[in-house]
Amino acid sequence: FPVTIDKPNRALSILGERDIPTSTQPRRTLRLGMRGPDVAEFQRALGGLNPDGFFGPMTERRLREWQAANGLTPDGIAGPNTFRVLFRT
C-alpha cells in the first residue's frame, strides 16, 4: 500500500488519521530578528521569500499578509496558530 503525498507539507495516513506535520514544522515561536534553519524551513513553507534563515522585515511583512489572507490575526509572529494553518494547507 503506497502512502500518498498530496502536498509537500502534509502526509496522508492510509488509515485516514488527522494531518501529520512533517519534521520541518518549527518547534519554537518565530519572530522578527530570529535566525536559524527552522526560520529557513518556515520561509520555504510560507512561500514568496528567499529562505535565507533570517526573519527580517520582508519575512514579517509576508507573514502578516499571509495571516490576514488566512483568517489569522496579522501580528507577524509565527506561533502555534500560524503553524497549525500553514502546515495543513
Side-chain angles (χ1 to χ4, degrees):
F1 239 111
V3 175
T4 303
I5 305 295
D6 71 338
K7 294 186 181 182
N9 293 324
R10 181 168 69 168
L12 297 180
S13 165
I14 60 173
L15 300 175
E17 296 172 7
R18 291 182 48 89
D19 295 347
I20 302 167
T22 65
S23 61
T24 59
Q25 181 172 341
R27 297 180 189 269
R28 63 179 175 148
T29 297
L30 303 176
R31 58 177 42 109
L32 189 64
M34 297 179 89
R35 296 178 184 272
D38 54 346
V39 173
E41 288 300 323
F42 171 72
Q43 291 168 321
R44 280 187 199 92
L46 191 58
L49 295 164
N50 175 30
D52 60 5
F54 174 64
F55 196 127
M58 289 174 43
T59 300
E60 183 183 45
R61 181 173 43 252
R62 173 70 183 106
L63 174 56
R64 285 178 188 271
E65 292 168 356
W66 183 89
Q67 287 170 322
N70 285 277
L72 297 170
T73 301
D75 59 8
I77 297 171
N81 291 334
T82 295
F83 298 145
R84 186 172 28 261
V85 176
L86 179 63
F87 286 96
R88 77 165 186 230
T89 57

